[in-house]
Amino acid sequence: MKKEEQNRRGDDIIAGRNAVLEALRSGRTIDSLYVARGQRTGSIGALIAKAKELGVAVKEADSKKLDYMCGNAAHQGVVAVAAVKEYATVDDLFALAQERGEPPFFIVADGLEDPHNLGAVLRTAECAGAHGIIVPKRHSVGLTYAVGKASAGAVEYVPVARVTNIAATLEELKKRGVWTFAADMDGQDWCSVDYKGPTAIVVGSEGFGVGRLVKEKCDFVISLPMKGKINSLNASVACGVICYEVARQRSGIPMK
């Protein structure tokens, strides 16, 4: 990481046991807590318990990664990453759709771990008129500095809700009248379905796609044509193609 980059992102990295504890106590939105591998006793154990109480994801990392994250500052085996923006709730996403007088249009990111991918999804969501993104608390990147930077400012305009369980959240969305579409292999053509009603597009992780249980909870599986030797697209690229089909249909732009 370049020195100037480290300086710009300094506000989202909190290093050291006392500093992290005060950040947790203050109510600041913490995206994740990193602890040195194997250290879970004493004051670090108390920090882990406090983080879990607040719903903060706790991850283990080796000391070299912690050194890198905080620019070799004295971290005492603990580094917290603060979110660059407050998380929304699923209700907030529905409220935004109602405020705009539009059927809900959500993107559900099932385990995206690359901050550049989530940032790109945020940017697409803002441009295509989505009312928000839903991500899981675990096994997913959160609203880190890198995500905010990759979003080119879209993080300021698109609410992101963080939920405990994606499969359960899909059930909630369906009960509230939202049709759910998993972007995965062996589904129907992405442009053969109607997205004009309440819609949630589910995109999977970079390595494994949409999880089995999550896929089973969806109403439809949709696929993009694959003509080359590689059988999958980058998650954010696939999301962009599908989101603009949603936008086309909702704008009433005819296919020619």
Short mmCIF file of all heavy atoms in Angstrom, two decimals, residues 14-27 33 43 46-47 50-51 54 78 80:
data_model
loop_
_atom_site.label_atom_id
_atom_site.label_comp_id
_atom_site.label_asym_id
_atom_site.label_seq_id
_atom_site.Cartn_x
_atom_site.Cartn_y
_atom_site.Cartn_z
N ILE A 14 -8.61 1.07 12.81
CA ILE A 14 -8.42 1.35 14.23
C ILE A 14 -7.56 0.23 14.80
O ILE A 14 -7.93 -0.95 14.74
CB ILE A 14 -9.78 1.40 14.96
CG1 ILE A 14 -10.70 2.41 14.28
CG2 ILE A 14 -9.59 1.74 16.43
CD1 ILE A 14 -12.16 2.24 14.65
N ALA A 15 -6.39 0.58 15.31
CA ALA A 15 -5.43 -0.42 15.78
C ALA A 15 -5.20 -0.29 17.28
O ALA A 15 -5.16 0.81 17.82
CB ALA A 15 -4.11 -0.28 15.02
N GLY A 16 -5.03 -1.44 17.95
CA GLY A 16 -4.74 -1.43 19.38
C GLY A 16 -5.97 -1.74 20.22
O GLY A 16 -7.09 -1.38 19.88
N ARG A 17 -5.75 -2.42 21.32
CA ARG A 17 -6.87 -2.92 22.12
C ARG A 17 -7.73 -1.82 22.73
O ARG A 17 -8.96 -1.87 22.65
CB ARG A 17 -6.33 -3.85 23.22
CG ARG A 17 -5.56 -5.03 22.64
CD ARG A 17 -5.04 -5.97 23.72
NE ARG A 17 -4.14 -6.97 23.12
CZ ARG A 17 -3.60 -7.98 23.79
NH1 ARG A 17 -3.87 -8.15 25.08
NH2 ARG A 17 -2.79 -8.83 23.19
N ASN A 18 -7.12 -0.82 23.31
CA ASN A 18 -7.91 0.25 23.92
C ASN A 18 -8.68 1.06 22.87
O ASN A 18 -9.85 1.40 23.07
CB ASN A 18 -7.01 1.19 24.73
CG ASN A 18 -6.51 0.55 26.01
OD1 ASN A 18 -7.16 -0.35 26.54
ND2 ASN A 18 -5.36 0.99 26.49
N ALA A 19 -8.01 1.36 21.75
CA ALA A 19 -8.66 2.14 20.70
C ALA A 19 -9.86 1.39 20.11
O ALA A 19 -10.92 1.98 19.88
CB ALA A 19 -7.66 2.48 19.59
N VAL A 20 -9.69 0.10 19.91
CA VAL A 20 -10.78 -0.71 19.36
C VAL A 20 -11.93 -0.80 20.36
O VAL A 20 -13.11 -0.67 20.00
CB VAL A 20 -10.28 -2.12 18.98
CG1 VAL A 20 -11.45 -3.03 18.64
CG2 VAL A 20 -9.33 -2.03 17.79
N LEU A 21 -11.59 -0.99 21.63
CA LEU A 21 -12.64 -1.07 22.66
C LEU A 21 -13.46 0.21 22.72
O LEU A 21 -14.70 0.18 22.78
CB LEU A 21 -12.01 -1.36 24.03
CG LEU A 21 -12.99 -1.42 25.21
CD1 LEU A 21 -14.03 -2.51 24.99
CD2 LEU A 21 -12.24 -1.66 26.51
N GLU A 22 -12.79 1.35 22.67
CA GLU A 22 -13.51 2.63 22.72
C GLU A 22 -14.38 2.83 21.48
O GLU A 22 -15.48 3.38 21.57
CB GLU A 22 -12.52 3.80 22.86
CG GLU A 22 -11.84 3.86 24.22
CD GLU A 22 -12.83 3.87 25.37
OE1 GLU A 22 -13.86 4.58 25.27
OE2 GLU A 22 -12.60 3.15 26.36
N ALA A 23 -13.88 2.38 20.33
CA ALA A 23 -14.68 2.49 19.10
C ALA A 23 -15.95 1.64 19.21
O ALA A 23 -17.03 2.07 18.81
CB ALA A 23 -13.85 2.05 17.89
N LEU A 24 -15.82 0.44 19.77
CA LEU A 24 -16.98 -0.42 19.96
C LEU A 24 -17.96 0.19 20.96
O LEU A 24 -19.17 0.16 20.76
CB LEU A 24 -16.54 -1.81 20.43
CG LEU A 24 -15.78 -2.68 19.42
CD1 LEU A 24 -15.19 -3.90 20.11
CD2 LEU A 24 -16.70 -3.11 18.29
N ARG A 25 -17.42 0.75 22.03
CA ARG A 25 -18.28 1.35 23.06
C ARG A 25 -19.00 2.61 22.56
O ARG A 25 -20.11 2.91 22.98
CB ARG A 25 -17.44 1.72 24.29
CG ARG A 25 -17.04 0.54 25.15
CD ARG A 25 -16.11 1.00 26.27
NE ARG A 25 -15.84 -0.05 27.23
CZ ARG A 25 -14.93 0.06 28.20
NH1 ARG A 25 -14.20 1.17 28.31
NH2 ARG A 25 -14.75 -0.93 29.04
N SER A 26 -18.35 3.32 21.66
CA SER A 26 -18.89 4.61 21.22
C SER A 26 -20.10 4.47 20.29
O SER A 26 -20.79 5.45 20.02
CB SER A 26 -17.80 5.41 20.49
OG SER A 26 -17.52 4.83 19.23
N GLY A 27 -20.31 3.26 19.79
CA GLY A 27 -21.41 3.07 18.86
C GLY A 27 -21.01 3.28 17.41
O GLY A 27 -21.86 3.25 16.51
N LEU A 33 -13.75 -7.03 12.80
CA LEU A 33 -12.67 -7.03 13.78
C LEU A 33 -11.70 -8.14 13.43
O LEU A 33 -12.09 -9.30 13.32
CB LEU A 33 -13.24 -7.26 15.18
CG LEU A 33 -12.21 -7.37 16.31
CD1 LEU A 33 -11.53 -6.02 16.55
CD2 LEU A 33 -12.86 -7.87 17.59
N SER A 43 -7.87 -9.79 27.36
CA SER A 43 -8.56 -8.60 26.85
C SER A 43 -9.02 -8.79 25.42
O SER A 43 -10.04 -8.22 25.01
CB SER A 43 -7.64 -7.38 26.96
OG SER A 43 -6.45 -7.58 26.22
N ALA A 46 -12.32 -10.48 25.53
CA ALA A 46 -13.38 -9.53 25.88
C ALA A 46 -13.78 -8.69 24.67
O ALA A 46 -14.97 -8.39 24.47
CB ALA A 46 -12.92 -8.64 27.02
N LEU A 47 -12.80 -8.29 23.87
CA LEU A 47 -13.09 -7.53 22.65
C LEU A 47 -13.92 -8.36 21.67
O LEU A 47 -14.86 -7.86 21.05
CB LEU A 47 -11.79 -7.09 21.97
CG LEU A 47 -11.06 -5.88 22.57
CD1 LEU A 47 -9.73 -5.70 21.87
CD2 LEU A 47 -11.90 -4.63 22.44
N LYS A 50 -17.47 -8.52 22.90
CA LYS A 50 -18.17 -7.25 22.68
C LYS A 50 -18.54 -7.10 21.21
O LYS A 50 -19.65 -6.67 20.86
CB LYS A 50 -17.28 -6.09 23.12
CG LYS A 50 -17.92 -4.71 22.97
CD LYS A 50 -19.11 -4.54 23.89
CE LYS A 50 -19.65 -3.12 23.83
NZ LYS A 50 -20.87 -2.95 24.66
N ALA A 51 -17.61 -7.46 20.32
CA ALA A 51 -17.86 -7.36 18.89
C ALA A 51 -19.03 -8.26 18.49
O ALA A 51 -19.93 -7.85 17.74
CB ALA A 51 -16.61 -7.73 18.10
N LEU A 54 -22.36 -6.95 19.37
CA LEU A 54 -22.80 -5.86 18.49
C LEU A 54 -23.03 -6.34 17.05
O LEU A 54 -23.36 -5.52 16.18
CB LEU A 54 -21.75 -4.75 18.50
CG LEU A 54 -21.55 -4.05 19.85
CD1 LEU A 54 -20.37 -3.09 19.78
CD2 LEU A 54 -22.81 -3.30 20.27
N VAL A 78 -4.82 -6.67 17.45
CA VAL A 78 -6.22 -6.33 17.18
C VAL A 78 -6.30 -5.15 16.21
O VAL A 78 -5.69 -4.10 16.45
CB VAL A 78 -6.97 -5.94 18.48
CG1 VAL A 78 -8.43 -5.61 18.17
CG2 VAL A 78 -6.89 -7.03 19.50
N ALA A 80 -9.45 -3.11 13.93
CA ALA A 80 -10.85 -3.00 13.53
C ALA A 80 -10.94 -2.18 12.26
O ALA A 80 -10.16 -1.23 12.06
CB ALA A 80 -11.68 -2.35 14.63
#
